[in-house]
Amino acid sequence: MRARDWRGLPRSRLLLLAALLAWAAAAAHEEDAEGPHSEAGLPPGHGNSHWSYADKAEWASDFPHCGGHMQSPINIETGAALFSPQLEPILLPDYSLPPREMLRLQNNGHTVVLDLPRNLTLTGGGFPQPYQAAQLHLHWGSALKPGSEHTVDGHRYAGEIHVVYYSSHFDTIQEAMVEPGGLAVLAAFLQVGSEENEPYQHILEHLNDVHEEGEETWIPAFDVAKLLPDDLSRYFRYNGSLTTPPCYQTVNWTIFNQTIRLSPDQISLLEDTLHGDEDELIQDNFRLPQSLQGRSVLASFLMLHSPEGAQPPGEGGSPRAPDPYGPAEEGGGDSAGSAAGGGQPHTPDGASGRDPEPASGEGQSPATSSGADQQVGSSLQTGDVLAAIFAALFGITALAFFLYVRKHQAQNHRRDSQPIKSSIIYTAATTEENAA
Ligand SMILES: *[C@@H]1O[C@H](CO)[C@@H](O)[C@H](O)[C@H]1NC(C)=O
Ligand SMILES: *[C@@H]1O[C@H](CO)[C@@H](O)[C@H](O)[C@H]1NC(C)=O
Ligand SMILES: *[C@@H]1O[C@H](CO)[C@@H](O)[C@H](O)[C@H]1NC(C)=O
Ligand SMILES: *[C@@H]1O[C@H](CO)[C@@H](O)[C@H](O)[C@H]1NC(C)=O
Ligand SMILES: [Zn+2]
């Protein structure tokens, strides 16, 4: 009886351990294959990493964070934004990389991602610590509708760039992305202008090399800060999330007030080149505005109080009236010092500036999108992280168990040099029971 009891116990333990080890090994292997940089985007069909803009309404069932209270993107009501003098200009020092350096450009099935060296830093901006670069990516619409993720006073722009950073308090973006304030994303709106935007050509001219999902190429480095507006002092700030699964609510958002202009051909190239799932064109890769749920949006700049009267219709109510600055950006392409002076009143919503641009879909057009976040997000699936943790735990357990077994095995040999049968582990366990 007794003998049986203890024989049974170790055996079941052994089986359990073997199963766990096999699982841990598989998980570890998968982790390896995935590589630490999968944030750029995982191949499709990766378990829960699989999602699409077509099913965004269901993201929350697979990715609970997507149903949280601090989600992104949002519609920014300029009239409700609170001026905060602590929001100093964003600083992006030494961004001109030598062209001999190569950067990876990838089609992750949701967007185009350019990996960035982490020594590109983000300072200023009222942040308590610097952030280091991870990657940048774009969101766009289609010939029929604009595709920015954030909207301003209900206006959706043609596209949006997201430059993703993680706090220097962390060694990896994987660790940072699950901590509040661990990520910072710089966002700027893309609009249609009349001239070709040269910095953007560095990326756009290679889109064809990655037109299928999962493809990647290496392109010569360039001054990626030139992809952002000239005026880095005027922006909106709020606490939000990745705009794609797993939607972690750890992003400190900065949305520049000045916009960037691309030529009609450039916008079309962006909209009509990349293919994703099922070989369909990647279009409308944006998520709809999420509810603010009591969050406040700060502005680094003071918006003029509109004299009673001539005010943009709309957004009523907030203490801060939207104002004459109007979408300076509209006109202002990436340069136009528009921002600073502000000023020229113009038509709301780019009616003026945009040429061939599809009329802006106001605020909530039904569309989908992906996010910078998303890439980040996809890179580190919660599942992968858990798998890694479990793999480590089981590895340690297995090692301890093995050493333990060896030790007792040795004792066993000493005491009575009985030949060991079957598995070492089994014998060891038995020995232990005996000893006790
Ligand atoms: C960042 O690292 C690259 C090499 O990867 C180097 O060429 C570049 O000068 C560095 N930039 C800064 C600002 O240190
Ligand atoms: C985001 O940055 C601001 C500085 O503007 C900082 O005060 C805030 O704590 C950060 N948010 C989070 C969640 O860390
Ligand atoms: C973001 O969250 C942090 C930490 O909770 C808070 O200190 C900060 O004021 C928030 N920022 C905004 C813009 O609400
Ligand atoms: C920029 O700020 C002005 C208010 O000064 C606002 O009317 C305009 O819509 C803003 N544009 C963007 C892109 O933030
Ligand atoms: Zn994004």
Side-chain angles (χ1 to χ4, degrees), residues 65-76:
H65 294 281
C66 298
H69 299 302
M70 298 172 57
Q71 291 291 292
S72 293
I74 58 168
N75 171 48
I76 295 168

Side-chain angles (χ1 to χ4, degrees), residues 260-332:
I260 297 156
R261 297 202 157 230
L262 269 57
S263 72
D265 284 350
Q266 288 181 304
I267 294 278
S268 298
L269 187 65
L270 185 57
E271 293 170 344
D272 300 329
T273 307
L274 300 188
H275 294 254
D277 223 6
E278 318 259 301
D279 211 32
E280 278 179 28
L281 271 180
I282 298 178
Q283 293 188 324
D284 305 324
N285 55 352
F286 62 94
R287 186 187 197 191
L288 294 177
Q290 306 293 299
S291 119
L292 215 47
Q293 313 245 42
R295 282 174 289 174
S296 47
V297 176
L298 307 181
S300 69
F301 56 108
L302 201 46
M303 285 171 264
L304 300 184
H305 235 304
S306 49
E308 46 275 48
Q311 263 327 304
E315 317 335 61
S318 330
R320 217 154 255 110
D323 92 304
Y325 272 5
E329 341 333 348
E330 287 286 36

Side-chain angles (χ1 to χ4, degrees), residues 21-45:
L21 283 175
W23 178 57
H29 177 71
E30 202 175 302
E31 187 80 355
D32 276 355
E34 210 74 279
H37 286 292
S38 42
E39 66 250 27
L42 296 177

Side-chain angles (χ1 to χ4, degrees), residues 93-94 97-98 100-101 117 119-120:
D94 305 323
L97 300 167
R100 77 185 122 78
E101 203 159 315
N119 66 354
L120 295 184

Side-chain angles (χ1 to χ4, degrees), residues 69-89:
H69 299 302
M70 298 172 57
Q71 291 291 292
S72 293
I74 58 168
N75 171 48
I76 295 168
E77 274 190 49
T78 60
L82 305 166
F83 170 60
S84 169
Q86 276 98 350
L87 299 180
E88 301 152 1

